[in-house]
Amino acid sequence: MGVGVVGELLHLAGGVLRSPFKRPRPEAEFPRARLVLDGVRVDQGRLVAYERVCGFPTGSADGALPVTYPHVLGFPLAMRLMSHADFPLPLLGLVHTSIGITRYTSLPASGEYELAVHIEGLAPHRRGTEATVVTGMRAGGEVVWESRSTYLARHRTDGAAEPPEERPAPLPVVDSWRLAGDVGRRYGAASGDRNPIHLYPLTARLFGFRRAIAHGMWTVARCLAAGGSAGVRVRARFLAPVLLPGTVTYGADGSGRFELRGDGGRLHLVGEVS
């Protein structure tokens, strides 16, 4: 196990241990630091593993990164910010609720990049407090890729309960996927996101899940791999966990909208590519 992996695990452990003492609220102060990592080059072996587990073709003809892959590169920096003692939301139980990605130009897998991550702010949510984390990637001094992710800490709120969100009618079913129980472990090895809720039934049950659940970013990447990821903007919302093993249906309407549904038509993910 490399020094970098050990360091990230220590940051994660610290964030988990501090979680019970956090008091999340929208008006809380949060770290204003902007973490920057220079000279980032893609590990080709990990990239191939990522492409395989997500369904992207390996060694694409244009040699470009999948549109979701910079999230993997920036994830350790994001985790370092969210596990910091000054971050007001508890890392334990934090839920990734949405992501928006903009790709400004092609991203050569052989390129050298600068990554930067910062927390944009906190906002009230009907179920608690949401943090927005911004990840940017530069090449030659120019922004080439950017994402905004929201993470929800659930807690009691003083506001009036909002009515249930209206769910859209199902999109045309394109395919059905049987998901193996090891998808979370395979994606975790390729991405570096080894959150225990994704790995084994036992570790997932410690956090209230009946079985391991798929990474939200894996579900987005899998949909984009199935539908083609030529778009420059991706928006997705994570609505319900995908239990592993399991079966889901991938739907798309040809206009850029896509979704994942499970048993009984339960909606797990909605998204759009433009």
Side-chain angles (χ1 to χ4, degrees):
M1 183 179 293
V3 175
V5 174
V6 172
E8 295 308 325
L9 289 177
L10 289 175
H11 279 291
L12 178 62
V16 169
L17 291 173
R18 285 188 288 266
S19 290
F21 306 100
K22 299 292 181 78
R23 296 294 179 264
R25 61 189 193 282
E27 66 276 10
E29 280 299 313
F30 56 88
R32 308 285 174 161
R34 180 173 176 267
L35 300 186
V36 179
L37 186 61
D38 291 321
V40 176
R41 287 192 173 277
V42 175
D43 182 309
Q44 298 300 316
R46 285 186 63 180
L47 173 60
V48 169
Y50 176 88
E51 290 170 332
R52 284 175 175 163
V53 72
C54 295
F56 291 108
T58 59
S60 60
D62 59 359
L65 296 174
V67 68
T68 48
Y69 196 70
H71 177 86
V72 169
L73 299 176
F75 184 73
L77 294 181
M79 285 302 299
R80 185 166 297 189
L81 280 176
M82 291 189 288
S83 59
H84 194 276
D86 292 338
F87 184 65
L89 308 188
L91 189 63
L92 195 62
L94 206 59
V95 179
H96 195 182
T97 49
S98 74
I99 188 166
I101 294 172
T102 303
R103 175 173 55 188
Y104 295 100
T105 187
S106 179
L107 308 172
S110 59
E112 182 174 313
Y113 300 101
E114 175 197 275
L115 286 166
V117 178
H118 70 276
I119 298 167
E120 188 172 70
L122 305 178
H125 185 279
R126 64 188 178 91
R127 294 183 177 176
T129 299
E130 221 169 36
T132 299
V133 179
V134 178
T135 301
M137 191 162 80
R138 291 175 176 266
E142 299 293 329
V143 177
V144 295
W145 183 98
E146 188 176 50
S147 75
R148 278 176 167 76
S149 282
T150 57
Y151 296 89
L152 172 67
R154 298 185 182 188
H155 60 83
R156 287 180 177 271
T157 61
D158 296 330
E162 295 182 15
E165 182 180 358
E166 184 177 345
R167 296 298 168 92
L171 297 178
V173 174
V174 176
D175 205 353
S176 178
W177 302 327
R178 292 182 59 85
L179 309 182
D182 68 347
V183 165
R185 297 191 292 276
R186 291 172 56 212
Y187 182 84
S191 68
D193 182 353
R194 295 180 175 86
N195 188 321
I197 63 175
H198 303 303
L199 303 181
Y200 298 97
L202 177 60
T203 56
R205 280 197 291 271
L206 295 174
F207 298 92
F209 297 98
R210 292 186 290 115
R211 303 197 299 272
I213 65 172
H215 295 71
M217 286 304 299
W218 177 84
T219 62
V220 173
R222 184 68 185 88
C223 289
L224 294 176
S229 57
V232 297
R233 289 185 177 86
V234 179
R235 302 289 181 268
R237 290 189 297 133
F238 309 111
L239 303 175
V242 175
L243 295 176
L244 301 172
T247 301
V248 292
T249 56
Y250 162 64
D253 65 358
S255 71
R257 293 192 302 155
F258 61 89
E259 67 180 23
L260 275 187
R261 290 182 182 265
D263 294 338
R266 187 185 192 194
L267 192 57
H268 294 292
L269 165 76
V270 294
E272 184 173 8
V273 178
S274 61

